[in-house]
Amino acid sequence: MPKQLMKGNEAVVRGAILAGCRAFFGYPITPASEIAEAAALLMPEVGGVFIQAESEVAAINMLFGAASGGVRAMTASSSPGISLMQEGVSYAAGAELPMVIVDVMRGGPGLGNIAPEQGDYYQVVKGGGHGNYKVIVLAPNSVQEMCDLTYLAFDLAEKYRNPVYVLADGFIGQMVEPVEFPEPKLPQIDKTWCVDGTAETRHNLITSIYLAPEELEQHNLRLKEKYDRIKREEVRYEAYKVDDAELVLVGYGIVSRILKSVVDIMRGDGYKVGLLRPITLFPFPDEKIREIAKTAQVFLVVELSTGQMVDDVKLALNGMREVKFYGRCGGMVPSAEEIIEQVKSIFEELEKEIEHQK
Amino acid sequence: MATTILKKPSTFYEVFTRKPDADKINTHYCPGCGHGKLHKLIAEAIEDLGIQDRVIIINPVGCSVFLYYYFDTGHIQVAHGRAPAVATGIKRVHPHSIVISYQGDGDLAAIGGNEILHAANRGEHITVFFVNNAIYGMTGGQMAPTTLPGMKTTTTPRGRDIHNEGYPLKMAELIATLEAPVYVERVALTDAKNMAKARKAVRKAIQIQVEGKGFAFVEALSACPTGWGMNPPDAERWINEVMTKYFPLGVFKDISDKVEPVKFERKILTPEDIKKAIGIDGGEITQVKKYQRNTVAEKYKNPKIKIAGFGGQGILLLGLVLTQAGMLEEYHVSWLPSYGPEMRGGTANCHVNISETEIASPLVSIPTVLIVMNRPSLEKFERTVKPGGIIFYDNSLIDIEPSRKDVEVVAVPATKIADDLGSTKVANMVMIGAYIGYTGILTKESVFDALDMMVKRKEFNELNRRAVEAGMKFVM
């Protein structure tokens, strides 16, 4: 299939439909609204459902209903809307329902603004709802990945019977780039657990309630086992010129694109700089970071936040190496040049230290 | 009472194995509770209608959270108040299923007020049973939205004060005011006469869904002897004598004879149909065509372009056409807009990359090419241009000149040229012509094809093309 120019938010819906998604429930919010708009246009064309819900609370619960039916279904929103959905995500994780949630992050806290930010890392990756649960989080950094990772999200959601997030930002959502689309899938409903109004599923029960403490503990431990399996099997990242890097930049989403420019420019000037881009934020590429730390001296985490993912980098390294942070927020986006200044000053510090040690 | 338990409907499990305590025969409800009565009516109706395999019951939060202990049907247990939203989701994806949403008064009328109103208003093809016992039973007797004025509960210890807590919500009356609901009735789960009416209402509400007619709602006044601190006979009497004064029984809406049944049909598509339906079958794409790139001077290669002006000048389209043409010529491309309120009036700008190699950052903070169509944009972005870069500006609109001496400057009276062609709107196209003509970065051919792909209103094509050519002519 030839490539096609497309906006990130529109590529999401096509990736979803190609993965077999046939239901979308959402509530309009900038900068994610194009996803609902594209779904409203396209879902009926493929025999799917589109409902503009009365709120994000209703949207996530409609999704809960459709997911209970074993059908591939999704919602999309932006930061404040995701805050409202957290109750439903906790229930879905507890009831082990596969579902896909796209978050096109904007500036916060509160109403904040509609500019791109990465301030939802905590509420999405750490699970903003109650209880011991985890969600798989995929972080696209191009329009192609808005399609591909949404497509993948449905497979992962079903494989683990767990909510999966596609965590994007305003830039990735609004950006236009060429996309090559994958082949359509026509998934079958798994009747072993869902309820679809047939005799085969009559004895199935979708629930997150386990009244007896012993049972609820067992349920939690079973979930933890599942999350551990996800940690072992689903880590995805992109490592760029890290092999001989003295300083490794870490960033996801739109930031990773800027960081790649930084690496290219600085390598041209002889600086040994590399980039690690987590594609899965949960599971986080801890092991890869530790492996890189065997050769790299220092890590610089860059985010469109005041520092959230940086915690996970620090946890992965557990004091092995120094971790620096540079962030902009509120819709401010650092230029490659701005980050280069930061990197250069870190290199100067390193040299001074080496001098001092001599 | 023995006469009422003649036979357990087959819709109930024979033994309640899902119930965690030792007693697997009796329900968990208190003596005299209305839930058991309503459960039985629903179970009988399901049995009589022969739909057991198709039924999915939405289990709410409250005393009836354990519906799945008793009904041998599909079940979804949901969050407090959200049953109608969950019911919507499952019914829409499996329209042949019979979805029964069962909620108490706190669940439906307080925390889930929004969900029930909108599900009713959309006319969802679901059946809703609303148990109104004027109190929160499960949490131990707190005020419900349906608690009567003056009634004592643990959170209205002096009695419900309408100046502090407002009035009881009359949900059946409220739902009946909406256009979409097909059938709305309030019944009382009390004496034999009322039970007979309730039985009829329950059956009808499910029948309406079976027939594909739409939304049905039955409110059942139900005893909570424990919560009310009464014995069961007194509790029933209190419903009949006191509660029904505030919540009158009867049919509030019934258009079941008038509505046309809906037939649900599933669309079955092949992979090719799907691609076509979502516009990725390559139908309009002319990419098989090979474009001969121009020879481009080194300094104009791999441009990082910023385009800016005010809303309505077609700034974003200008960028998109360059992006599309670049893609046709098999360059790596990206386009990034300013978005949101910025776009609704005021200024607009976008970032375009056309590159021989993979594009790292799509953001253009230091442009090598700046195309500006109003003065504020020139003033804002001139200083960001990379030394050795190039600025194109519309000098028919901008009354100052760029002051930078370390960049190339090309003045294009784009708006004037566009006016001479007959439409101010094509000034953006003149700018495209000037840019590609001056630098050679893209060919006229690819730009024309890009225009065909991007501009939906074909009647503008001729004028757009002439504008591009006029721009090229001006700089060459």
Side-chain angles (χ1 to χ4, degrees), chain A residues 5 12-13 59 61 70 73 95 97 123 162 175-176 182 188 210-211 229 251 265 268 274 277 280 282 287 289 339 354:
Chain A
L5 266 191
V12 160
V13 176
N61 281 285
L97 288 180
Q123 81 151 334
N162 206 69
M175 197 159 78
V176 169
Q188 296 296 309
Y210 293 86
L211 210 55
R229 198 165 80 242
I265 295 167
R277 164 169 84 100
T280 50
F282 178 84
E287 266 178 49
I289 288 176
I339 297 165
I354 292 165

Side-chain angles (χ1 to χ4, degrees), chain A residues 245-289:
Chain A
E246 288 165 7
L247 182 146
V248 171
L249 296 158
V250 188
Y252 69 98
I254 187 68
V255 170
S256 68
R257 297 282 293 266
I258 304 168
L259 296 182
K260 203 166 198 178
S261 283
V262 170
V263 172
D264 288 341
I265 295 167
M266 295 197 80
R267 284 271 172 181
D269 295 339
Y271 289 93
K272 287 189 173 174
V273 182
L275 163 67
L276 180 78
R277 164 169 84 100
I279 294 172
T280 50
L281 298 176
F282 178 84
F284 198 70
D286 304 289
E287 266 178 49
K288 184 65 189 177
I289 288 176

Side-chain angles (χ1 to χ4, degrees), chain A residues 301-351:
Chain A
V301 180
V302 183
E303 293 177 60
L304 301 184
S305 79
T306 51
Q308 298 193 18
M309 182 184 71
V310 64
D311 291 357
D312 279 336
V313 177
K314 285 181 179 169
L315 281 171
L317 288 167
N318 199 16
M320 262 176 90
R321 292 283 181 237
E322 198 177 352
V323 179
K324 305 259 186 189
F325 176 77
Y326 185 70
R328 297 295 301 268
C329 53
M332 298 303 292
V333 180
S335 64
E337 294 71 20
E338 194 175 332
I339 297 165
I340 289 169
E341 287 308 306
Q342 297 291 318
V343 176
K344 282 185 178 168
S345 73
I346 294 171
F347 270 109
E348 277 164 26
E349 268 175 53
L350 278 180
E351 267 162 36

Side-chain angles (χ1 to χ4, degrees), chain A residues 1-7 14 17-18 22-23 25 30-31 42 44-47 49-55 57-59 61-66 68-71 87 91 105 114-116 169-172 174-178 181-186 189 194-199 201-209 211 215 254 257-258 260-261 264 333-337, chain B residues 10 13 18 20 52-56 59 61 65-66 68-69 72-80 82 84-90 92-94 96-98 111 114-116 118-119 122 124 266-267 269-275 277-282 285 287 304 320 323-325 327 331-337 339-342 344 358-363 365-366 454:
Chain A
M1 235 183 280
K3 286 193 176 189
Q4 233 172 298
L5 266 191
M6 195 165 284
K7 196 177 245 201
R14 283 164 176 90
I17 289 174
L18 291 169
R22 290 295 179 272
F25 308 96
T30 308
L42 299 177
E45 297 295 321
V46 294
V49 174
F50 170 83
I51 299 182
Q52 179 167 327
E54 58 270 29
S55 68
V57 175
N61 281 285
M62 289 176 187
L63 178 54
F64 190 99
S68 300
V71 171
E87 174 200 56
Y91 275 72
M105 291 182 278
I114 59 163
D169 56 71
F171 272 148
I172 302 286
Q174 299 293 325
M175 197 159 78
V176 169
E177 285 182 324
F181 290 98
E183 284 300 306
K185 285 187 184 181
L186 300 167
I189 289 178
C194 77
V195 288
D196 70 344
T198 61
T201 66
R202 200 177 91 198
H203 298 288
N204 290 342
L205 164 65
I206 307 294
T207 188
S208 61
I209 189 171
L211 210 55
E215 271 183 49
I254 187 68
R257 297 282 293 266
I258 304 168
K260 203 166 198 178
S261 283
D264 288 341
V333 180
S335 64
E337 294 71 20
Chain B
S10 67
Y13 285 114
R18 280 175 173 159
Q52 187 176 1
D53 287 341
R54 293 165 66 194
V55 171
I56 297 170
N59 300 218
V61 167
V65 63
F66 302 119
Y68 62 89
Y69 287 175
D72 181 1
T73 63
H75 289 276
I76 308 176
Q77 198 288 311
V78 303
H80 199 27
R82 319 298 175 218
V86 176
T88 298
I90 185 72
R92 291 288 187 115
V93 299
H94 292 306
H96 68 280
S97 63
I98 303 299
I111 196 167
N114 202 27
E115 283 79 4
I116 189 61
H118 285 271
R122 283 189 304 270
E124 294 297 338
R266 194 169 293 278
K267 232 185 213 176
L269 297 176
T270 65
E272 285 316 307
D273 293 337
I274 293 168
K275 287 189 211 171
I278 63 172
I280 60 157
D281 57 336
I285 301 176
Q287 207 167 18
K304 294 175 183 297
L320 276 173
T323 309
Q324 181 69 63
M327 192 178 125
Y331 286 107
H332 295 268
V333 293
S334 70
W335 175 91
L336 185 70
Y339 66 85
E342 262 190 288
R344 295 174 191 121
E358 193 192 332
I359 295 158
S361 174
L363 273 80
S365 45
I366 302 182
M454 310 301 293

